[in-house]
């Protein structure tokens, strides 16, 4: 169901989340410049619910996806994307594992501890515009860790999606579902590391 309206596009002179920068440098004797956006690093978590034999994903409206694809690209998309549970690394006094657990609790409603996390890897996204780093984790969860309905904090409007294990291949192949790159990679990582289909 579409839950947004009155979309307008304006200039953004200041932001709490990103800062535009221009890099001046020399490469092989040639002076060059590159425009970038400084953003926070992030964490993401692939959650596998052992009892439901499903992955726990988040679905939310992403205005840049809607604007880029629909308004500028002429594509028919609603702007809702399927993603891993994720969040910004914006608390200097906490480890990425602690922040990951907080995000799982806030967005998905499952209480984890850092020891439950398995690191998948560290990746750099949007390399041409931000070069931000994302640490990706995997965790098995069960209903015993479920403490509330999730959905995010403040004005976040996050829907929790359970993707059955047997539907992963068709989900990845279906271009009607707007998916993040990280989600696609994490699902394929799972399939590679757990070839019997069970974590």
């Amino acid at each position: 169901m579409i839950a947004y309206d009155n979309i307008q596009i304006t200039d953004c002179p200041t932001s709490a989340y990103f800062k535009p920068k221009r890099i001046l440098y020399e490469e092989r004797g040639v002076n060059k410049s590159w425009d970038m956006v400084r953003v926070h690093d992030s964490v993401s978590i692939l959650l596998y619910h052992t009892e439901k034999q499903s992955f726990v994903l988040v679905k939310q409206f992403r205005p840049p996806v809607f604007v880029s694809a629909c308004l500028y690209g002429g594509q028919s998309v609603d702007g809702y994307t399927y993603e891993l549970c994720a969040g910004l690394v914006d608390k200097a006094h906490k480890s990425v594992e602690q922040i990951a657990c907080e995000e799982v609790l806030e967005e998905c409603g499952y209480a984890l501890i850092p020891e439950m996390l398995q690191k998948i890897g560290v990746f750099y996204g949007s390399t041409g515009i931000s070069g931000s780093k994302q640490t990706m984790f995997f965790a098995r969860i069960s209903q015993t860790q479920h403490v509330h309905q999730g959905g995010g904090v403040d004005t976040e409007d996050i829907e929790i999606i359970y993707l059955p294990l047997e539907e992963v291949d068709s989900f990845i192949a279906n271009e009607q579902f707007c998916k993040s790159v990280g989600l696609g990679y994490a699902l394929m990582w799972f399939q590679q590391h757990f070839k019997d289909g069970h974590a």
Side-chain angles (χ1 to χ4, degrees), residues 43-64:
V43 295
S44 62
I45 312 93
L46 174 65
L47 299 169
Y48 180 71
H49 197 297
T50 56
E51 295 157 343
K52 296 179 183 289
Q53 294 188 27
S54 298
F55 298 98
V56 183
L57 312 180
V58 298
K59 181 183 177 183
Q60 56 188 318
F61 178 59
R62 292 297 198 183

Side-chain angles (χ1 to χ4, degrees), residues 4-53:
Y4 55 85
D5 53 20
N6 299 324
I7 292 179
Q8 302 176 49
I9 303 172
T10 66
D11 291 333
C12 180
T14 61
S15 172
Y17 301 102
F18 66 86
K19 299 184 184 305
K21 301 286 184 181
R22 175 161 291 167
I23 307 166
L24 303 176
Y25 65 105
E26 182 179 313
E27 184 179 31
R28 300 184 188 276
V30 178
N31 291 324
K32 297 183 177 182
S33 68
W34 195 288
D35 294 340
M36 69 166 287
V37 176
R38 179 74 183 101
V39 300
H40 287 290
D41 291 336
S42 62
V43 295
S44 62
I45 312 93
L46 174 65
L47 299 169
Y48 180 71
H49 197 297
T50 56
E51 295 157 343
K52 296 179 183 289
Q53 294 188 27

Side-chain angles (χ1 to χ4, degrees), residues 96-106 110 112-114 117:
V96 289
E97 290 82 5
Q98 290 173 317
I99 293 173
C101 290
E102 287 183 356
E103 293 298 332
V104 172
L105 182 62
E106 292 173 359
Y110 290 87
L112 305 184
I113 58 175
L117 299 173

Side-chain angles (χ1 to χ4, degrees), residues 38-165:
R38 179 74 183 101
V39 300
H40 287 290
D41 291 336
S42 62
V43 295
S44 62
I45 312 93
L46 174 65
L47 299 169
Y48 180 71
H49 197 297
T50 56
E51 295 157 343
K52 296 179 183 289
Q53 294 188 27
S54 298
F55 298 98
V56 183
L57 312 180
V58 298
K59 181 183 177 183
Q60 56 188 318
F61 178 59
R62 292 297 198 183
V65 172
F66 176 79
V67 170
S68 294
C70 192
L71 298 187
Y72 292 150
Q75 304 172 47
S76 179
V77 300
D78 60 11
Y80 284 91
T81 62
Y82 294 80
E83 307 172 12
L84 296 172
C85 173
L88 300 177
V89 176
D90 55 0
K91 304 176 183 72
H93 62 290
K94 294 187 177 181
S95 69
V96 289
E97 290 82 5
Q98 290 173 317
I99 293 173
C101 290
E102 287 183 356
E103 293 298 332
V104 172
L105 182 62
E106 292 173 359
E107 295 188 357
C108 302
Y110 290 87
L112 305 184
I113 58 175
E115 290 73 19
M116 297 174 66
L117 299 173
Q118 175 183 345
K119 183 184 286 188
I120 295 176
V122 175
F123 308 93
Y124 288 84
S126 302
T127 54
I129 190 167
S130 72
S132 59
K133 181 175 71 174
Q134 182 171 101
T135 306
M136 185 181 293
F137 297 99
F138 168 71
R140 300 169 183 84
I141 58 174
S142 68
Q143 209 56 25
T144 58
Q145 279 98 38
H146 193 243
V147 295
H148 65 79
Q149 295 305 308
V153 296
D154 300 325
T155 60
E156 289 183 315
D157 187 6
I158 295 173
E159 180 182 356
I160 308 304
I161 302 293
Y162 291 91
L163 173 66
L165 181 61

